[in-house]
Amino acid sequence: MIKWGISSGTPADSYYEVRSDCTDDVPKSKFKIKAGKTLSVRKWQAAFNPDGCLDIASVLSRIQKGGVHPTVRGEVWEFLLGCYDPRSTFDEREEIRQIRRLQYARWKEDCREMDSHVGSGKVITAPLITEDGRPIKDPLVLLEATSNQNTSDGTSTSSNNGIEVDESANRITDKQIIDWKLTLHQIGLDVLRTDRTMVFYENKENLSKLWDILAVYAWIDKDVGYCQGMSDLCSPMIVLLKDEADAFWCFEKLMRRLRGNFRCTDQSVGVANQLQHLASIIQVLDPKLHDHLETLGGGDYLFAFRMFMVLFRREVSFGDSLYLWEMMWALEYDPDIFFAACEEASGAQKKVSKSKLRGVRHFAKWDKNKDTKNAPEETDGPVPISVFMVASVLKEKREKLLQEARGLDDLIRILNDVNGNLDAKKACAGALKLHKKYLKKVEAKKT
């Protein structure tokens, strides 16, 4: 048996193959999969009792030490994101899984009836419809999207700002359908840009899965629809879970946590609360840095917008970002997450008393109640660990920011140096330290 030393281990990205022509363009993995620390296949399987109930406390503890082994990551994430109650049995989970797969199939069929490209294996990259609901007959659309039909005969067209409109097709009048169809090409453009260095996405079937999931989600969540950044959040689900419906439900559970980030208005951005939390935390922990950022015109902390929107996907490698996510979820794990998100019809699974899971809380290490009590008055809800991770990035770059930043351009340039160079494990450790320090300082101010 090989005994791995302290410095040994397998790079997190070794399980996610990069195209040979892109190896120099992607961030290098800093996180190592280590025996005895990473949640292994054996430890994961041993955490279930004969009926299938999961000892979630032992799993959380192991994840916090060294993340999850890539071969079981998809299964573990289904629990971390609240797809399944850890106290459920194998049979109960299989019943829920089948119910969800059927539900996704129904939603996908609804979308396919509105637009035949859903489920066709195509990825739309040009508009299919005008803003007033008239189908577009454009050569680019026909090449990229249209099914194998002869569309050149027997149709009349007119020009609308240089775009050919198919006058023979029925005009759509339902505004919700128009809005949804207007997003389909934007989803396609983003899909083709998402994780394009990975061998996984050389398979067009995987690209179309990503497009289909985002198209279906945009239809069922009409308040938010589709926004840039969602493809970065959904992509790992496609990579980790073979079944498209299972990947959809993991993404849907993740969006329950993050959808507020995408609700932007003319007056505010969706991540406004997190930016306000970040400003308050830096003001408490490092007033000098906060004042300097305000002087530079960065007091609104909008420079951290992208880190919150796509959860550090740009700052670390693909494999390291997955480790970072599961570490955050393990630290913040709420044993009530399944009950809060459960949408299955009554009787689909045996309800488990929440009290049985109360003892799990202290394994999560993240005291949200304290955060809520100490949160700034103008914000609401608990402070997520991601806010302290951004704070740890600012702390890491503190001296450079104070000495070299003379304007917003300098500020952005210095923080852009973090892209691809962030150490996920150090960021987690730094966030926990800053969290502890912040709570102490806030408590001290009260006394």
Side-chain angles (χ1 to χ4, degrees), residues 38-57:
T38 300
L39 177 65
S40 65
V41 178
R42 185 177 63 83
K43 286 286 185 183
W44 170 245
Q45 292 172 345
F48 291 93
N49 73 11
D51 291 330
C53 299
L54 177 66
D55 178 4
I56 190 68

Side-chain angles (χ1 to χ4, degrees), residues 111-174:
C111 292
R112 193 194 65 77
E113 288 178 1
M114 291 184 289
D115 193 286
S116 62
H117 305 112
V118 175
S120 70
K122 304 283 186 178
V123 175
I124 309 306
T125 57
L128 296 171
I129 195 171
T130 63
E131 291 188 2
D132 61 355
R134 291 186 291 171
I136 293 172
K137 184 181 179 182
D138 183 271
L140 180 57
V141 179
L142 294 173
L143 276 172
E144 291 290 332
T146 306
S147 303
N148 294 326
Q149 297 173 347
N150 185 351
T151 57
S152 61
D153 297 328
T155 60
S156 60
T157 64
S158 66
S159 179
N160 182 21
N161 294 326
I163 297 172
E164 272 196 297
V165 175
D166 189 349
E167 296 291 354
S168 64
N170 291 331
R171 180 177 172 182
I172 297 170
T173 56
D174 188 311

Side-chain angles (χ1 to χ4, degrees), residues 94-110:
E94 184 57 28
E95 187 177 354
I96 293 169
R97 187 183 297 278
Q98 294 307 319
I99 290 171
R100 287 190 178 135
R101 286 178 177 177
L102 286 171
Q103 178 62 72
Y104 176 69
R106 282 194 291 268
W107 283 334
K108 189 173 178 179
E109 179 60 22
D110 290 342

